[in-house]
Amino acid sequence: MTSASIHPSAYVEEGAQIGEGCSVGPFCHIGPEVVLGQGVVLKSHVVVTGQTEIGDETVVFPFSVLGEIPQDLKFKGEKTRLVIGKRNRIREHVTMNTGTMGGGGVTRVGDDGLFMAGCHVAHDAQVGDRVIVVNSAALAGHCVVEDDVIIGGLSGVHQWVRIGRGAIIGAVTMVTNDVIPYGLVQAPRGKLDGLNLVGLKRKGVARSDITALRAAFQMLAQGEGAFQDRARRLGEETQSDYVREIVDFVLGDSDRSFLTPG
């Protein structure tokens, strides 16, 4: 065991790897295959089990459960993993499950995320960096959530859905189809209602790129032909890297159709 602060009431099973400077609070339970990076803080009453890795300086608040088996009836006890990156803030009652062999075997969460109270990350989800998942929102199995996404409270994301970089999902929204990068989705059944202009401006995106994104959105919303055909035409015409990112996303592999403007 390395130099770490472990409360006497915590139960750390033999085999667990606890990094330098970790703090394990009262009544935590850490399983034998868990790896905690340097400076990880488990506040109290936290369960970390399974083949779970938590990156440096991540803070986990009370009653979170990380690394339990998938909520999938096809799961038969195979060895799968949960990998959580650095400097995340995982608030009270958050659950994150390990993967399934059918989904690649790994649930992965990036760096610098904020997972607010009661939210859920299901098996085989792939979550990027600087993602915010607000209270009681849920990501179903096999979701892909790219960097800098915000998912509003009480929202649900259907299995296999992809959410592109910089998108924002409004509160109390059900997302059943892929969301383009920088998209704004709201309404109970999830309608693509514009672009995340506030997020783009906060990020310091150049006005010329924002103008190009606005024009691209209008073409996707009102142009002729199928959605993918409009995207292909955009790719032939655009000089903006941001628009190109949307084009590549739309033309990429997906198990779901797209939320389209309208």
Side-chain angles (χ1 to χ4, degrees), residues 32-106:
E33 298 176 293
V34 169
V35 178
L36 302 184
Q38 296 183 8
V40 171
V41 176
L42 309 183
K43 293 268 187 173
S44 74
H45 298 83
V46 174
V47 175
V48 187
T49 187
Q51 291 188 342
T52 298
E53 303 172 25
I54 300 180
D56 298 349
E57 300 178 26
T58 286
V59 179
V60 187
F61 285 72
F63 302 104
S64 292
V65 180
L66 308 177
E68 264 295 358
I69 63 172
Q71 298 176 84
D72 184 340
L73 293 175
K74 298 186 297 298
F75 182 74
K76 302 302 180 185
E78 57 268 25
K79 288 290 187 180
T80 57
R81 302 164 58 211
L82 168 65
V83 179
I84 299 171
K86 300 178 180 179
R87 299 177 301 278
N88 288 288
R89 296 296 177 267
I90 300 174
R91 295 303 303 250
E92 298 83 355
H93 296 277
V94 169
T95 53
M96 298 182 179
N97 296 156
T98 57
T100 64
M101 292 308 295
V106 182

Side-chain angles (χ1 to χ4, degrees), residues 7-249:
H7 192 275
S9 66
Y11 180 36
V12 180
E13 296 194 50
E14 185 176 353
Q17 300 179 44
I18 311 298
E20 295 282 348
C22 286
S23 175
V24 180
F27 303 105
C28 292
H29 179 193
I30 302 177
E33 298 176 293
V34 169
V35 178
L36 302 184
Q38 296 183 8
V40 171
V41 176
L42 309 183
K43 293 268 187 173
S44 74
H45 298 83
V46 174
V47 175
V48 187
T49 187
Q51 291 188 342
T52 298
E53 303 172 25
I54 300 180
D56 298 349
E57 300 178 26
T58 286
V59 179
V60 187
F61 285 72
F63 302 104
S64 292
V65 180
L66 308 177
E68 264 295 358
I69 63 172
Q71 298 176 84
D72 184 340
L73 293 175
K74 298 186 297 298
F75 182 74
K76 302 302 180 185
E78 57 268 25
K79 288 290 187 180
T80 57
R81 302 164 58 211
L82 168 65
V83 179
I84 299 171
K86 300 178 180 179
R87 299 177 301 278
N88 288 288
R89 296 296 177 267
I90 300 174
R91 295 303 303 250
E92 298 83 355
H93 296 277
V94 169
T95 53
M96 298 182 179
N97 296 156
T98 57
T100 64
M101 292 308 295
V106 182
T107 304
R108 193 177 303 275
V109 173
D111 300 335
D112 300 301
L114 172 58
F115 299 85
M116 296 189 192
C119 72
H120 176 64
V121 178
H123 60 87
D124 306 297
Q126 306 295 307
V127 180
D129 298 337
R130 300 174 299 280
V131 168
I132 299 174
V133 183
V134 182
N135 303 69
S136 300
L139 304 179
H142 313 281
C143 289
V144 175
V145 179
E146 295 187 350
D147 297 345
D148 302 304
V149 167
I150 299 174
I151 298 174
L154 296 166
S155 295
V157 181
H158 196 281
Q159 62 191 22
W160 299 103
V161 160
R162 298 182 302 150
I163 300 180
R165 183 162 73 106
I168 185 167
I169 310 300
V172 198
T173 298
M174 182 64 206
V175 183
T176 57
N177 298 95
D178 289 355
V179 178
I180 62 172
Y182 313 109
L184 165 64
V185 174
Q186 53 190 355
R189 294 303 298 180
K191 294 184 178 180
L192 182 60
D193 207 24
L195 296 171
N196 182 13
L197 295 175
V198 172
L200 290 164
K201 291 173 182 177
R202 285 177 177 170
K203 190 179 177 181
V205 174
R207 181 175 296 181
S208 60
D209 281 309
I210 292 177
T211 299
L213 283 167
R214 284 178 181 272
F217 185 85
Q218 288 302 313
M219 182 172 177
L220 288 173
Q222 300 173 357
E224 296 181 357
F227 192 67
Q228 277 82 358
D229 293 335
R230 300 176 211 167
R232 288 188 185 93
R233 288 199 299 274
L234 269 178
E236 294 168 358
E237 299 170 6
T238 188
Q239 301 298 316
S240 168
D241 290 340
Y242 288 89
V243 176
R244 168 57 61 187
E245 186 175 351
I246 292 176
V247 171
D248 291 343
F249 186 89

